[in-house]
Amino acid sequence: MSGPAPAPTWVQVALNLPLRREFTYALPPGLAAVPGNRVLVDFHGRRLGGVVTATTATTELDPARIKPILVVLDAETRLPPALLELAARMAQTYGCSLGEALDATLPSVAKRRGQRRFPHLALQAPRDLAEQAVLELEDRHQAQSRVLRTVLEFGGPMPVLDVRRRTNTSDSPWQTLVKHGLLRKVMVAEELEELVPALDEAAVRHVLNEHQERAVAAIVARVAAGQHRTFLLHGVTGSGKTEVYLRVLEQVRARGKSAIVLVPEISLTPQTVGRFASRFPDVAVLHSGLTDSERGRQWQRLLQGRSRVAVGARSALFAPVQDLGLIVVDEEHETSFKQDSTPRYHAREMAIVRGEIERAVVVLGSATPTLESIGKARRCVYELLTLPERAGAGRLPKIVVQDLRGEPRESSRAGVVLSRTLLAMMQERLQARDQVLLFLNRRGFAPVLLCPGCGEAVKCPSCSVSMTWHSRRGRLVCHWCCREKRRPETCPTCQHAGMHELGVGTERLEQAVKERFPQAIVARMDADTMAERGAHERVLGAFRKKHIDVLIGTQMIAKGLDFPDVTLVGVVSADTGLFVPDYRAAERTFQLLHQVAGRAGRGEKAGTVVIQTHCPDNYAVAAAAKNDYDAFVQQELLFRKQLGYPPFARLLRVLAEARSEGEAQRLLQRAVVPLRGLADVEVLGPAPAVVGKVKDHWRWHMLVKCFLPASFRTAMDAIGTVEDLGTRTCRITLDVDPGSLM
Ligand code: ADP
Ligand code: ZN
């Protein structure tokens, strides 16, 4: 006879550590836990938060040596089973530990529970004193100088985490500044900023055109059937994709189901987010500006089903919604969907996995789908839906390719090339009181400061890259480690007097445009000018109200903007990304050109795009100029197949970083051994990375390439874990489907 099953007394706990196993703890009498519960445990004397993955009645370990769970956190922050499963799949796919994957699925409030307010830095000293201190600290305490200036520029209490991220510093610089009375730490309870970006346009509910109708019907049919299916919605810019998502969402909600909408970066797509928020008042917008407590509240609302639509960037994929019916990945080609720290997951791929787990429909939308996605759509892995023309009033713009090779010398003034064609059109459009966007994907004044005597460029002392000259700040800046330097009067190598500013960044372009059009109001939008709190909304608002005539920007202005009076878009150089040593250089160039061009002619008025280039015959540039996605894809697929790159193969990048170059190299030479001789596993390298040194660490890498999914698994298993490979002095990164090869 068997009695009642004994109560589970042991639990398996996953910890956020790079250790690919779970740990057994004892459940003291009176405490209950189920998988998904969050717990606090003692791990070698450290108090760590973890997630229960299983409970058992027996254990093979010596019970006397098993430590008890310290605390079981309340059920409010318990992870639903579907998210536990998603985390497990994520760990398996990207070779991280389950604890690391679980950590990514939790909102930070659950991780730092009880802490309802979070630390900000504010100015303590008077402004002029602080400004003076920035200069004084610069030579001997550069990190402090950078931190102080960043808080000064922000102009209000700034979250400590943001300060650290923006200045690439640890805690010690700000702590020293606090100790010296220059800054003060304040605990801010609530973010003052608005939750939902302001929206002036009414949320018009258009009568759908036939292509939109067909797309909505196809998607809704699958939602109604409760079947998992992935759709690729390929629609030219302005074809009404967002309208399709909105209609499908109405249907999803009418069926009592929930939805998640992923957008690239909320700060860059305020208009899109605003449209969701105005159509559905109960939307939970999950953006990085939220405080922990605000984020926690949104999480609760979703968990309890009080909110049925979550809109957010990458991590909104883990929103704990009930009865998931739909996941939309808008602008699926965007690189920001790949996380560039552990776990290095791709939100698009994980959205599909979550869709499988919860039998939900996934819709990937883009005007320029990635080769991976269009490839799968053509092989019928995804269902393809197309919106071939612009909806409503807008027409696709006319595109003019301006070959810069024939341009006379006079077109170039102080290094900035503005062709006669572009200048004449700017003149005309400005006279008509229309608005102009100028796109250049490079910030700063000049990317290189070069000695005309010996040809040496000023390099970052810690990284193997040249430093960018930022003229308004009056400093050379390393875009890899944020280090800054004063401009040398003479060449540091040969003492030649007078350095040359080589190349053009947005700052230099702004100066040139202001000189050419002194009557026009010119504004610039890039990471440098957007450092101030609320700057983004301010500039976009002013542009909407037509207080700005010419808006110059980096890729920040390439996406999601919809302004009816923009009738001219100038691409100052189509070539900046073309020669990057990455197999996706052409694809990225095509996507960017196509997206930027899509900003023109969105209203009643016709739009024109001028693309300046030295490579008019390059197939990516030529296809973008003809608005010909299919031609580009055909050519590019051919190259990828010949060279054996994705989507035909899958890549794993293994990166080693160490203070000694020899060590990084040796470590990879050891790591490659178990891969030798494996069938269908090709290894490129080990070799020095393109950027061979960052922050005084030498970088070597290798690329592991497989054509079959099974061999990729074998290769991942053979290479082992970060824990097996790395040492105390050499850091190893495993990156599946790497976003960057630099
Ligand atoms: P996309 O997301 O593909 O760039 P949007 O959904 O933003 O396209 O639509 C582009 C513009 O066309 C928007 O101003 C939108 O309000 C409008 N629009 C969308 N669908 C229709 C329609 N069926 N009829 C008229 N206008 C539409
Ligand atoms: Zn550097």
Side-chain angles (χ1 to χ4, degrees):
M1 260 193 47
S2 63
T9 31
W10 314 110
V11 292
Q12 299 294 311
V13 178
L15 299 171
N16 180 19
L17 298 168
L19 305 172
R20 279 209 268 185
R21 62 174 177 274
E22 279 79 73
F23 297 89
T24 304
Y25 283 87
L27 200 55
L31 277 190
V34 294
N37 261 133
R38 305 201 47 265
V39 293
L40 284 181
V41 298
D42 175 276
F43 184 78
H44 295 296
R46 279 198 291 161
R47 243 170 111 93
L48 292 182
V51 176
V52 174
T53 57
T55 58
T56 51
T58 57
T59 179
E60 285 165 8
L61 304 173
D62 172 7
R65 307 194 53 180
I66 300 177
K67 283 186 240 162
I69 294 259
L70 300 175
V71 181
V72 179
L73 299 176
D74 50 18
E76 279 173 39
T77 59
R78 196 173 80 206
L79 273 180
L83 285 179
L84 275 177
E85 195 179 336
L86 182 63
R89 291 279 296 272
M90 194 152 107
Q92 188 188 38
T93 308
Y94 295 101
C96 64
S97 76
L98 181 57
E100 287 170 324
L102 283 166
D103 189 67
T105 66
L106 287 164
S108 46
V109 65
K111 290 179 234 166
R112 279 172 282 146
R113 237 183 58 90
Q115 198 175 331
R116 295 282 162 193
R117 304 181 307 157
F118 71 135
H120 283 56
L121 291 174
L123 212 55
Q124 169 77 354
R127 245 195 121 74
D128 50 346
L129 217 94
E131 277 164 6
Q132 200 185 327
V134 168
L135 298 176
E136 283 167 6
L137 288 168
E138 183 164 29
D139 289 322
R140 309 240 332 262
H141 305 283
Q142 196 188 79
Q144 289 180 38
S145 168
R146 251 165 31 214
V147 167
L148 188 55
R149 197 194 56 228
T150 304
V151 176
L152 254 171
E153 282 177 0
F154 190 69
M158 186 173 181
V160 170
L161 287 175
D162 287 352
V163 175
R164 286 188 42 179
R165 188 156 29 101
R166 204 168 286 171
T167 54
N168 195 358
T169 53
S170 64
D171 279 327
S172 95
W174 72 259
Q175 283 167 343
T176 311
L177 289 165
V178 169
K179 208 177 324 159
H180 293 164
L182 288 158
L183 291 180
R184 115 186 95 96
K185 188 172 107 174
V186 286
M187 299 305 286
V188 176
E190 294 300 327
E191 189 76 5
L192 303 168
E193 274 165 67
E194 265 180 86
L195 216 163
V196 172
L199 176 86
D200 352 309
E201 80 214 52
V204 197
R205 205 166 164 281
H206 298 282
V207 177
L208 299 183
N209 63 37
E210 65 175 297
H211 300 289
Q212 287 172 314
E213 283 283 5
R214 210 173 306 144
V216 170
I219 299 167
V220 168
R222 296 290 186 172
V223 173
Q227 280 175 329
H228 166 63
R229 187 78 182 135
T230 302
F231 290 93
L232 175 62
L233 180 62
H234 178 199
V236 299
T237 52
S239 58
K241 292 185 291 297
T242 311
E243 199 57 43
V244 169
Y245 309 146
L246 289 166
R247 286 309 174 85
V248 176
L249 276 173
E250 286 175 6
Q251 301 283 328
V252 168
R253 284 160 48 95
R255 286 173 168 75
K257 294 190 177 190
S258 304
I260 296 172
V261 180
L262 300 183
V263 294
E265 278 158 277
I266 291 210
S267 63
L268 304 185
T269 47
Q271 287 183 318
T272 311
V273 175
R275 277 168 74 185
F276 287 99
S278 63
R279 200 72 73 85
F280 307 112
D282 66 339
V283 155
V285 180
L286 304 167
H287 62 90
S288 60
L290 293 180
T291 59
D292 284 355
S293 60
E294 190 52 59
R295 190 179 301 274
R297 256 207 301 285
Q298 300 282 24
W299 220 65
Q300 292 310 321
R301 282 179 59 208
L302 292 163
L303 200 58
Q304 292 157 10
R306 282 185 285 134
S307 178
R308 299 205 152 265
V309 180
V311 179
R314 192 174 57 226
S315 64
L317 170 63
F318 307 114
V321 298
Q322 303 289 307
D323 303 313
L324 182 67
L326 174 78
I327 307 178
V328 171
V329 184
D330 188 27
E331 312 285 6
E332 66 90 25
H333 63 276
E334 277 292 331
T335 51
S336 66
F337 285 125
K338 177 85 158 75
Q339 175 151 299
D340 61 5
S341 58
T342 307
R344 296 172 178 267
Y345 70 94
H346 199 299
R348 178 187 62 220
E349 302 311 313
M350 289 299 106
I352 294 169
V353 171
R354 186 162 182 191
E356 272 166 34
I357 294 172
E358 303 194 46
R359 297 162 65 82
V361 170
V362 179
V363 178
L364 314 178
S366 175
T368 51
T370 51
L371 290 169
E372 284 85 348
S373 296
I374 196 74
K376 284 185 180 159
R378 289 188 179 170
R379 282 181 280 124
C380 298
V381 179
Y382 304 158
E383 206 165 308
L384 183 64
L385 302 167
T386 27
L387 305 177
E389 48 203 49
R390 275 200 170 170
R395 292 285 156 270
L396 279 177
K398 181 174 150 222
I399 303 183
V400 179
V401 174
Q402 190 56 45
D403 186 348
L404 291 179
R405 289 172 305 184
E407 210 45 49
R409 286 185 71 99
E410 304 87 81
S411 294
S412 166
R413 216 187 276 174
V416 182
V417 184
L418 292 171
S419 61
R420 288 164 299 176
T421 313
L422 182 55
L423 284 174
M425 294 189 74
M426 285 178 72
Q427 187 80 49
E428 185 196 308
R429 296 305 157 96
L430 290 175
Q431 256 159 19
R433 290 286 297 128
D434 282 350
Q435 292 177 296
V436 178
L437 279 183
L438 286 184
F439 172 78
L440 178 64
N441 208 14
R442 202 188 266 147
R443 66 191 173 93
F445 189 86
V448 180
L449 200 62
L450 187 93
C451 169
C454 69
E456 285 287 324
V458 182
K459 289 252 176 72
C460 172
S462 306
C463 311
S464 57
V465 295
S466 56
M467 296 180 91
T468 301
W469 172 239
H470 286 246
S471 119
R472 200 165 63 160
R473 180 174 296 172
R475 295 289 180 276
L476 285 153
V477 181
C478 171
H479 285 185
W480 279 75
C481 74
C482 297
R483 191 177 172 134
E484 298 182 7
K485 215 158 99 162
R486 283 211 185 86
R487 183 182 175 134
E489 298 286 338
T490 57
C491 170
T493 313
C494 75
Q495 271 69 53
H496 187 286
M499 303 286 281
H500 257 351
E501 290 144 3
L502 203 71
V504 181
T506 43
E507 214 180 285
R508 189 174 203 170
L509 175 63
E510 181 188 15
Q511 189 186 62
V513 172
K514 281 180 171 163
E515 277 167 21
R516 301 261 193 178
F517 301 97
Q519 74 288 5
I521 299 168
V522 181
R524 169 162 62 95
M525 203 157 139
D526 55 28
D528 298 317
T529 59
M530 294 296 112
E532 201 181 320
R533 163 195 197 96
H536 215 94
E537 292 74 18
R538 219 163 30 244
V539 172
L540 288 183
F543 195 61
R544 171 177 303 279
K545 291 195 206 112
K546 297 193 73 174
H547 295 165
I548 293 170
D549 301 311
V550 183
L551 183 59
I552 293 172
T554 52
Q555 55 189 348
M556 272 187 192
I557 62 167
K559 47 194 115 173
L561 302 185
D562 191 352
F563 295 109
D565 286 320
V566 172
T567 56
L568 176 63
V569 169
V571 176
V572 175
S573 171
D575 313 337
T576 48
L578 221 41
F579 304 107
V580 176
D582 187 310
Y583 71 94
R584 276 160 308 201
E587 185 180 11
R588 298 249 163 95
T589 297
F590 177 82
Q591 283 166 350
L592 211 47
L593 290 179
H594 193 83
Q595 298 285 347
V596 180
R599 301 305 123 222
R602 295 185 68 102
E604 305 277 336
K605 303 179 200 171
T608 309
V609 180
V610 177
I611 297 180
Q612 301 198 128
T613 177
H614 287 95
C615 321
D617 301 325
N618 176 283
Y619 66 103
V621 175
K626 279 187 284 197
N627 254 320
D628 196 343
Y629 174 78
D630 290 336
F632 171 73
V633 166
Q634 196 181 353
Q635 181 64 68
E636 183 67 10
L637 279 177
L638 218 67
F639 287 151
R640 298 279 181 94
K641 188 158 199 170
Q642 279 165 2
L643 299 171
Y645 273 114
F648 300 99
R650 191 154 195 208
L651 299 179
L652 163 69
R653 183 189 192 210
V654 187
L655 176 71
E657 293 168 291
R659 285 217 171 245
S660 130
E661 184 169 19
E663 191 183 359
Q665 179 182 4
R666 276 193 302 278
L667 212 115
L668 285 188
Q669 278 161 349
R670 264 203 311 278
V672 80
V673 174
L675 297 174
R676 297 254 183 255
L678 290 181
D680 181 38
V681 176
E682 213 177 289
V683 181
L684 308 176
V690 178
V691 177
K693 194 177 75 172
V694 170
K695 269 194 150 179
D696 296 314
H697 282 71
W698 294 92
R699 306 167 83 235
W700 272 63
H701 69 169
M702 63 183 184
L703 270 187
V704 182
K705 196 164 148 184
C706 304
F707 291 86
L708 303 170
S711 13
F712 196 75
R713 279 253 62 85
T714 312
M716 288 281 289
D717 289 343
I719 199 150
T721 65
V722 169
E723 183 194 2
D724 307 332
L725 292 167
T727 63
R728 216 161 35 76
T729 47
C730 183
R731 195 173 68 171
I732 288 282
T733 304
L734 296 178
D735 196 357
V736 173
D737 307 330
S740 164
L741 302 179
M742 302 289 273

